[in-house]
Amino acid sequence: MNNNISELSNFLSQFMESMDNEINFFIEQIKNNLENISAYERFCNENKDYIDSNPEKQYEFFSFAYNQYYSVFPYIVFNSLLITFDSYFENKFTLLTEKVSISILNEFKLGKKNKSIIEMCFSHLKNKLGIQIPEKNENWTSIKNYHKIRNLIVHYNSSLSKNSSFNLPLEDILKIKEHKDYYLIKGNKYIDLKELSGKFYIIDIQLIVDYLNDIRAFMKKVIEQFRNTQIS
């Protein structure tokens, strides 16, 4: 094994161990500190016996639940975390691709920037480095979908409508279902889509945890492929 390959093998081991520890820490912190502002329905279900046996307390209970889970603060926190971890993945994926490319090809060029950085890295792995991860890989598909949600949050203010008003005319309401990402948003159980405005909100921190686990699983798969095709 030449020096470049030996160095790369050590890098891959250290890289994945470090990333694994980081993600474990992120998830631990999320669960310890943020679950109390998540999951309105779960909270209500867990307290169903109390609600049923204390009808005089129902208004007080649901007022608290609404303010705790459907106020602006959780939306800001969850949306911000999605954006943050999207950037985290982009940085890690680019770093990994660059390191392997330089070790194997002595260069790192992604070509024309006509796609997102993560899609360009994915293409580079397949076309330049021979890493055969299917385009329909479950974790990769999820990561791309999270990236789409991130773009809707950042570029369109968490909305499927170009009209930023909360009181849309009927014509604009009907256009919401025609949006190319309508079913992506509508079908996610951790996202609340307001059909009359096109606004959507992440309502459960579990979405962020699932995203981090998809990142971990995908990166492990990529490194495994590197080892099988380039190092063994």
Side-chain angles (χ1 to χ4, degrees), residues 78-96:
F78 301 159
N79 284 5
S80 298
L81 283 174
L82 179 65
I83 295 166
T84 297
F85 290 126
D86 181 86
S87 297
Y88 171 81
F89 171 68
E90 180 182 290
N91 174 264
K92 292 292 188 180
F93 193 27
T94 304
L95 177 63
L96 179 63

